[in-house]
Amino acid sequence: MPITKRCQFTDNEIKNAYEEAGSLSGMAERLNITYPTAATWAHELGLTLKNQGYNKPALEITGLQCRHAREYLGLTRDVFCAQSNVSKTAIREFELGNSTLRKGNMDKVMELFKRYRVTFNSDGTFE
């Protein structure tokens, strides 16, 4: 990639590139510069950057609800994991509140509860 100097673009061209692209990576692509260069230029111009990145997924149930429902059904963690096809570590860490489940694993857990006809209420209870 050729070296692109800051003096090749006006402040407005840089601002417009960011606004049109909506992200630093898009700005970098439009101006044919690297991502770190785009970040530096945005900082120098005082651009207000849009918050991007990882957003925690909204969970259908909490780990505590999962544990209580599993225990209510009389299922050990081993049996529950075997039936849902989710790893023991993932379920243990989720139930203890140390991590969240990936969407695919949450879908498997909810499908298993559905087979047992367990429904979860918005107030944290289940039936």
Side-chain angles (χ1 to χ4, degrees), residues 48-65:
T48 302
L49 302 180
K50 297 173 182 145
N51 289 334
Q52 295 185 352
Y54 178 76
N55 294 317
K56 245 181 163 175
L59 299 177
E60 298 179 48
I61 60 171
T62 66
L64 192 57
Q65 285 175 302

Side-chain angles (χ1 to χ4, degrees), residues 9-124:
F9 300 100
T10 66
D11 291 354
N12 282 338
E13 288 174 326
I14 295 170
K15 289 177 184 178
N16 288 339
Y18 178 73
E19 287 303 316
E20 290 170 6
S23 66
L24 285 177
S25 58
M27 175 181 140
E29 190 175 307
R30 284 177 183 264
L31 299 177
N32 196 27
I33 58 176
T34 64
Y35 182 90
T37 301
T40 300
W41 290 2
H43 178 71
E44 289 173 358
L45 293 175
L47 295 177
T48 302
L49 302 180
K50 297 173 182 145
N51 289 334
Q52 295 185 352
Y54 178 76
N55 294 317
K56 245 181 163 175
L59 299 177
E60 298 179 48
I61 60 171
T62 66
L64 192 57
Q65 285 175 302
C66 180
R67 179 179 176 189
H68 285 227
R70 175 181 61 77
E71 290 176 346
Y72 175 80
L73 294 171
L75 301 175
T76 65
R77 192 174 287 143
D78 289 342
V79 170
F80 184 81
C81 292
Q83 289 183 4
S84 65
N85 201 26
V86 178
S87 76
K88 292 176 194 174
T89 301
I91 294 296
R92 181 186 67 239
E93 293 301 305
F94 177 60
E95 288 182 350
L96 294 174
N98 296 333
S99 68
T100 58
L101 289 177
R102 294 178 182 214
K103 182 176 179 349
N105 285 341
M106 179 60 80
D107 291 345
K108 291 175 185 178
V109 165
M110 294 307 292
E111 181 59 35
L112 180 59
F113 282 130
K114 186 177 176 182
R115 283 191 303 225
Y116 279 101
R117 295 190 175 105
V118 173
T119 56
F120 293 90
N121 303 316
S122 59
D123 64 356

